[in-house]
Amino acid sequence: MATQRTRLTPMKTNPGRFFEDYRLGETIRHATPRTVTSGDVALYTALYGSRFAVQSSDAFARAIGYPRSPLDDLLTFHVVFGKTVPDISLNALANLGYAEGGFRRPVYPGETLSTVSEVIGLKESSNRQTGVVYVRSTGSDEKGETVLSYCRWVLVRKRDPEATIAQEHVPTFAKVVDPSDLAGALPPLDASAYDLELAGSPHRFADYQAGEKIDHVDGMTVEEAEHQIATRLYQNTAKVHFDAVATRETKFGKRLIYGGHVISLARALSFNGLANAFALAGINAGRHVAPLFAGDTVYAWSEVVERAELPGRTDIGALRLRTVATKNQPCGAYPDRQGEGYDPAVILDLDYWAFIPR
Amino acid sequence: MATQRTRLTPMKTNPGRFFEDYRLGETIRHATPRTVTSGDVALYTALYGSRFAVQSSDAFARAIGYPRSPLDDLLTFHVVFGKTVPDISLNALANLGYAEGGFRRPVYPGETLSTVSEVIGLKESSNRQTGVVYVRSTGSDEKGETVLSYCRWVLVRKRDPEATIAQEHVPTFAKVVDPSDLAGALPPLDASAYDLELAGSPHRFADYQAGEKIDHVDGMTVEEAEHQIATRLYQNTAKVHFDAVATRETKFGKRLIYGGHVISLARALSFNGLANAFALAGINAGRHVAPLFAGDTVYAWSEVVERAELPGRTDIGALRLRTVATKNQPCGAYPDRQGEGYDPAVILDLDYWAFIPR
Amino acid sequence: MATQRTRLTPMKTNPGRFFEDYRLGETIRHATPRTVTSGDVALYTALYGSRFAVQSSDAFARAIGYPRSPLDDLLTFHVVFGKTVPDISLNALANLGYAEGGFRRPVYPGETLSTVSEVIGLKESSNRQTGVVYVRSTGSDEKGETVLSYCRWVLVRKRDPEATIAQEHVPTFAKVVDPSDLAGALPPLDASAYDLELAGSPHRFADYQAGEKIDHVDGMTVEEAEHQIATRLYQNTAKVHFDAVATRETKFGKRLIYGGHVISLARALSFNGLANAFALAGINAGRHVAPLFAGDTVYAWSEVVERAELPGRTDIGALRLRTVATKNQPCGAYPDRQGEGYDPAVILDLDYWAFIPR
């Protein structure tokens, strides 16, 4: 009888998928649609201290043409991303990269988000212990309209090294998203009503130049409670973030901070230097270069990679930025790639487009 | 003059009641009515990572017949419970048990909750140093309609061991709440609109069998900041949760985590295996077997004790569950009662009814 | 080329102002207007455990004449204050004092706050390394109506000790704000509908007497995650609160807790003894006597300095209170000023008016 009971257990809990469980072209509808609220917005502010005026003030947002303050784009990202974890990365060993990310429209409190992922690539590792799963994840609102899509690829364990994979494929990604494809994400803005003083910086589109580097100066130390509260808010269930007992057996011996938490910290720090680049447009490429742990202090610097005018938009332009985050090392010296790798302090290298008033 | 000032002080602050201050049959209206909001809901998600679709998505809830997402039933429980602490358990040595809990209707953001307790039992301890106080606490909405009631009993210090008690009485409690009495708590659901994929599990009422055990697999490490934030959210003032200086002198030498925090952690963990058992119906019995401290990691497993069909309801059934939580020990071996006591890892044994679509 | 890039950097980030950058009479519009929401309210409750019935329950607030629950006045204070930090206190060595604070009207969720500061005093230190900057900061709603104003003065570094100051002035402040000037801040209350039992205390205006001291009994231990979450919620960017690496080089060697966090903790603790003094009216004087660090436990006591009737208001009166907070020492002995200084446990001495039903 005890045996019979035990036998039933595996049928009810989700052990996560292994590499050989994915099929090329398959579509996965992820669980737990989520209505985002002003409660989530308050928590996002409290967790990162973000200060972009459009996202902070309904009055400011309305003055320039929004119906009210939209969510910080990264809050949308984390909510959309969190849903994919139980199906995509529960048994992942590493989150390898992001590409072709596009924020399609602003999201407002009260909207319900859900996520679907398509398996767009599968590549077994040569040692046959693991494989890389490539997905395109699409977050949609209640009506099914896309609000965000992005590709990511993760290294996933195989349950059985002997298992064979029906069909492998390594997708190629655009090196850079075309920002003019994303400009429709923002309502037409009354840029003359955009109050630079209230926004916290006098610098508009034309004030930034390709090649310019900006040290964001400030640092933020992260506590276990903070990243756990954030990661649960996004309903991201990866146990590596939460379970101090289980992670004792891992390579790091402790809880690992959700990579998206680092992205949000770096983005909030980047306000000091990029205060008017208030909307994310697209993610060209992203890489978590090294892990972050509680007790570490995050710093960031950005490089303006290029500037793009947007056809038909005289109100805004796009800045292509590379924001690099470090741990426990201020960024006055712009720590960056080194030889084949990176300066040992670097933890994040994110290449993205942001919109900024002209 | 200094003496006179000091004399006035005890009149203004609440030192908490002692055992001899209670009278059998007395009714206590607790302070601080509380309007619950989407801010509380966001914090609840962030503190426990709960993923039940009905409570997470207004769209999902509406599709099956709710006007919008109701609060997690345990958030209602904690808010109702928190108010009782200044009057019932400020001088309590232990929270001994729960019984006859019933969730009478869903609670929505915007509603105001308040709590009244009736003293239904008093039993002095044989050493005359303490006594057990039994109360039935009832949480009501703004119109006075009951949303939740439950019994609990606590061990309370006497101020004066010589004090005599006018009338003692030990109440008896139903061993099991009748779930058909509680079925009216849920609106009629369109179970066909209940999307199992979005809910995160294919298992409906009929898929669970009495005797089945489910290891919920995941673990959650608790930080001081987290349980303090939670317990303050519920306006629970018991100093044992908050005061590191005062608790240095206690048996444990440190802050003790609110027992309800453990219940919510276990319930959130139980999503992995019970994703469709989205509504709590009643609490049959509950016991905090051992204390939890910051730094500990909570795991949980559940046993399906019985299944009950509900007269007149073809949409939902009730599962009687026993959820057992442990600290610092995964639950693959279902740690449970041992002889007179429990496996030393066990911290919670909660026997309750949950509703699940048929 | 690298040189050119680096040259651009100082133009984009805010290094904070130094003493010689201020001009007497100058007005500074601070960045980041902020819409406060029920999410902020939930976080405020969760961070301090405040239990005032008017701020906790829309139903309670409506019964006595408010349209709904107003924000805790200190949440308004922190949001208004936070905006001033990048312009006033980023290079401050110490927050020296507060005076002439007045809460002009209740603030409700959904309102947008912004802040303007006027430089009302400048006084270089005799060593010419630093100077004191005096500002009057005014928080306004979306229509520009004042909700709060207060003066504070901070000790700010000079960039260049040789720099000269065009015009110096040391303002004088009223020792006590006139509470009758502030009575208009509250709607006319139906004091007979004010339910003392639900509010948590039977003590009205007439029950308090000048000279009375109240030990608030309870203690609250503060964690790094908690004060960081609070301080970011207020968009207060002072690095001394957040950067464990940078603060290693400071006098204290660690992160310092935002002084306003201490004020809110003391105020929340003061509920136990002052439960009906639910609205702050004015701040007469305030001083952060010593710093607070994570791991410390805060206690508080209050003295009733005087009572004031308010012309034309039979519903409420004003209590002038001095609330003294300590760290790691309960307040049963009312630790206070000692000789020229203070009992070493004291961290805050706040002199303010609160309204209380008659």
Side-chain angles (χ1 to χ4, degrees), chain A residues 9 16 42 47 56 97 149 164 197-198 206 210 247 269 279 288 339 342 348 351 358:
Chain A
T9 298
L47 289 163
S56 294
S149 73
T164 56
E197 222 170 31
L198 284 184
T247 53
L269 291 170
H288 296 294
Y342 280 86
L348 173 74
D351 179 334
R358 301 189 63 162

Side-chain angles (χ1 to χ4, degrees), chain C residues 346-358:
Chain C
V346 172
I347 58 175
L348 173 74
D349 185 352
L350 188 72
D351 179 334
Y352 60 102
W353 289 102
F355 292 132
I356 184 167
R358 300 189 65 162

Side-chain angles (χ1 to χ4, degrees), chain C residues 9-25:
Chain C
T9 297
M11 298 163 50
K12 296 291 183 349
T13 56
N14 172 23
R17 287 169 172 230
F18 292 86
F19 179 66
E20 62 265 41
D21 299 329
Y22 294 93
R23 293 292 166 264
L24 197 63

Side-chain angles (χ1 to χ4, degrees), chain C:
Chain C
M1 187 65 185
T3 319
Q4 190 189 356
R5 286 173 187 175
T6 307
R7 189 184 53 76
L8 289 162
T9 297
M11 298 163 50
K12 296 291 183 349
T13 56
N14 172 23
R17 287 169 172 230
F18 292 86
F19 179 66
E20 62 265 41
D21 299 329
Y22 294 93
R23 293 292 166 264
L24 197 63
E26 132 185 66
T27 291
I28 304 168
R29 285 176 76 220
H30 304 295
T32 314
R34 172 84 148 76
T35 303
V36 290
T37 69
S38 59
D40 299 308
V41 171
L43 268 162
Y44 193 86
T45 302
L47 288 163
Y48 306 108
S50 191
R51 290 184 288 142
F52 295 99
V54 171
Q55 282 80 10
S56 293
S57 164
D58 283 338
F60 191 99
R62 264 187 228 114
I64 62 168
Y66 283 87
R68 62 183 292 192
S69 283
L71 263 62
D72 189 291
D73 297 303
L74 289 173
L75 174 53
T76 300
F77 176 82
H78 298 318
V79 169
V80 167
F81 181 103
K83 299 180 192 330
T84 70
V85 170
D87 299 313
I88 306 297
S89 43
L90 215 58
N91 296 311
L93 293 162
N95 199 13
L96 298 175
Y98 307 97
E100 295 188 5
F103 293 88
R104 294 289 162 182
R105 70 165 184 77
V107 175
Y108 300 97
E111 294 199 278
T112 298
L113 303 178
S114 55
T115 309
V116 167
S117 293
E118 185 188 359
V119 179
I120 57 171
L122 289 172
K123 175 66 187 171
E124 194 177 10
S125 309
S126 54
N127 65 10
R128 305 204 59 196
Q129 302 290 321
T130 58
V132 179
V133 179
Y134 300 80
V135 294
R136 174 179 300 279
S137 297
T138 302
S140 302
D141 65 16
E142 201 173 332
K143 296 172 200 155
E145 191 190 346
T146 298
V147 299
L148 164 66
S149 73
Y150 64 93
C151 298
R152 78 162 166 143
W153 49 108
V154 293
L155 185 69
V156 177
R157 276 193 206 92
K158 286 179 76 181
R159 186 188 293 104
D160 172 10
E162 298 309 310
T164 55
I165 308 308
Q167 196 185 354
E168 293 190 279
H169 174 67
V170 176
T172 52
F173 296 111
K175 207 174 145 52
V176 183
V177 175
D178 183 347
S180 52
D181 287 350
L182 301 165
L186 254 63
L189 301 189
D190 180 354
S192 69
Y194 187 98
D195 185 324
L196 294 169
E197 222 170 31
L198 284 184
S201 159
H203 304 296
R204 293 175 179 265
F205 178 69
D207 298 319
Y208 291 88
Q209 294 173 36
E212 183 176 353
K213 292 183 179 181
I214 303 164
D215 171 18
H216 301 305
V217 181
D218 308 305
M220 186 65 71
T221 305
V222 183
E223 303 296 322
E224 296 282 15
E226 294 171 347
H227 76 85
Q228 293 196 151
I229 286 173
T231 309
R232 283 184 302 240
L233 183 69
Y234 315 138
Q235 296 175 309
N236 174 332
T237 59
K239 80 174 63 178
V240 72
H241 308 316
F242 298 115
D243 184 333
V245 170
T247 53
R248 235 176 264 150
E249 307 307 313
T250 63
K251 165 162 76 159
F252 303 116
K254 52 187 167 179
R255 282 166 281 174
L256 182 67
I257 294 174
Y258 162 49
H261 198 67
V262 177
I263 295 177
S264 279
L265 286 167
R267 170 79 174 146
L269 291 170
S270 80
F271 179 88
N272 196 353
L274 290 164
N276 294 319
F278 65 85
L280 290 189
I283 295 174
N284 299 311
R287 192 174 153 199
H288 296 294
V289 175
L292 182 75
F293 303 104
D296 287 336
T297 301
V298 175
Y299 298 87
W301 65 273
S302 295
E303 178 180 7
V304 180
V305 180
E306 57 175 307
R307 278 187 350 198
E309 301 195 2
L310 301 167
R313 301 285 306 231
T314 55
D315 52 346
I316 52 167
L319 295 181
R320 184 176 165 199
L321 301 162
R322 249 185 85 224
T323 293
V324 174
T326 60
K327 62 180 175 189
N328 306 323
Q329 187 181 307
C331 290
Y334 310 113
D336 203 347
R337 297 185 194 102
Q338 269 182 2
E340 299 293 291
Y342 280 86
D343 180 296
V346 172
I347 58 175
L348 173 74
D349 185 352
L350 188 72
D351 179 334
Y352 60 102
W353 289 102
F355 292 132
I356 184 167
R358 300 189 65 162

Side-chain angles (χ1 to χ4, degrees), chain B:
Chain B
M1 189 66 186
T3 320
Q4 189 188 357
R5 286 172 186 174
T6 309
R7 187 183 56 74
L8 289 162
T9 298
M11 299 163 49
K12 297 289 182 349
T13 57
N14 172 22
R17 287 170 172 231
F18 292 86
F19 180 65
E20 62 265 41
D21 300 329
Y22 294 93
R23 294 291 167 266
L24 196 65
E26 130 184 67
T27 291
I28 304 170
R29 287 175 75 222
H30 302 295
T32 313
R34 172 83 148 76
T35 304
V36 290
T37 70
S38 59
D40 300 309
V41 171
L43 268 162
Y44 193 86
T45 302
L47 289 163
Y48 305 108
S50 191
R51 289 184 289 143
F52 295 99
V54 172
Q55 283 81 9
S56 293
S57 164
D58 283 338
F60 191 99
R62 264 188 228 115
I64 63 169
Y66 283 87
R68 64 183 291 190
S69 284
L71 263 61
D72 190 291
D73 297 305
L74 288 174
L75 174 52
T76 300
F77 177 82
H78 297 319
V79 169
V80 167
F81 181 102
K83 298 180 194 329
T84 70
V85 170
D87 299 313
I88 306 297
S89 43
L90 216 57
N91 295 311
L93 293 162
N95 199 13
L96 298 174
Y98 305 98
E100 295 188 6
F103 293 87
R104 294 290 161 181
R105 69 165 186 78
V107 175
Y108 300 97
E111 295 199 278
T112 298
L113 303 177
S114 55
T115 310
V116 166
S117 294
E118 185 187 359
V119 179
I120 58 172
L122 288 172
K123 177 64 188 171
E124 194 177 10
S125 308
S126 55
N127 65 10
R128 306 205 57 198
Q129 303 290 321
T130 59
V132 179
V133 178
Y134 299 80
V135 294
R136 174 179 299 280
S137 297
T138 302
S140 303
D141 66 14
E142 201 173 331
K143 297 173 197 154
E145 192 190 343
T146 298
V147 298
L148 164 66
S149 73
Y150 64 92
C151 299
R152 79 162 166 143
W153 49 108
V154 292
L155 185 68
V156 177
R157 278 194 205 91
K158 286 179 75 183
R159 187 187 295 102
D160 172 12
E162 298 309 310
T164 56
I165 308 310
Q167 196 185 354
E168 293 189 280
H169 174 67
V170 176
T172 53
F173 297 111
K175 207 173 146 53
V176 183
V177 175
D178 183 347
S180 52
D181 288 349
L182 301 165
L186 255 61
L189 301 189
D190 180 354
S192 69
Y194 186 98
D195 184 322
L196 293 169
E197 224 169 31
L198 284 184
S201 161
H203 305 296
R204 293 175 179 266
F205 178 70
D207 298 319
Y208 291 87
Q209 294 173 36
E212 183 176 354
K213 291 182 180 182
I214 302 163
D215 171 18
H216 301 305
V217 181
D218 308 305
M220 186 64 71
T221 305
V222 184
E223 302 296 321
E224 296 281 14
E226 294 171 347
H227 77 84
Q228 292 197 151
I229 286 173
T231 309
R232 283 185 301 240
L233 184 68
Y234 315 138
Q235 296 175 309
N236 174 332
T237 60
K239 79 173 62 178
V240 72
H241 308 315
F242 298 115
D243 185 335
V245 171
T247 52
R248 236 177 264 150
E249 308 306 314
T250 63
K251 165 162 75 159
F252 303 115
K254 52 187 166 178
R255 282 166 280 175
L256 182 68
I257 293 174
Y258 163 49
H261 198 67
V262 177
I263 295 177
S264 279
L265 287 166
R267 169 80 174 146
L269 292 170
S270 80
F271 179 88
N272 196 353
L274 289 165
N276 294 320
F278 66 85
L280 290 189
I283 295 173
N284 299 311
R287 191 173 153 199
H288 297 294
V289 174
L292 182 74
F293 303 105
D296 287 337
T297 301
V298 175
Y299 299 88
W301 65 273
S302 296
E303 178 179 7
V304 180
V305 181
E306 57 176 307
R307 276 187 352 197
E309 301 195 2
L310 301 166
R313 301 285 305 231
T314 56
D315 52 347
I316 53 166
L319 295 180
R320 183 176 165 198
L321 300 161
R322 248 184 85 224
T323 293
V324 174
T326 59
K327 63 179 175 190
N328 306 323
Q329 187 180 305
C331 289
Y334 311 113
D336 203 348
R337 296 184 195 105
Q338 268 182 1
E340 300 292 293
Y342 279 86
D343 180 296
V346 172
I347 57 175
L348 173 74
D349 185 352
L350 188 71
D351 179 333
Y352 60 101
W353 289 102
F355 292 131
I356 185 167
R358 300 188 66 160

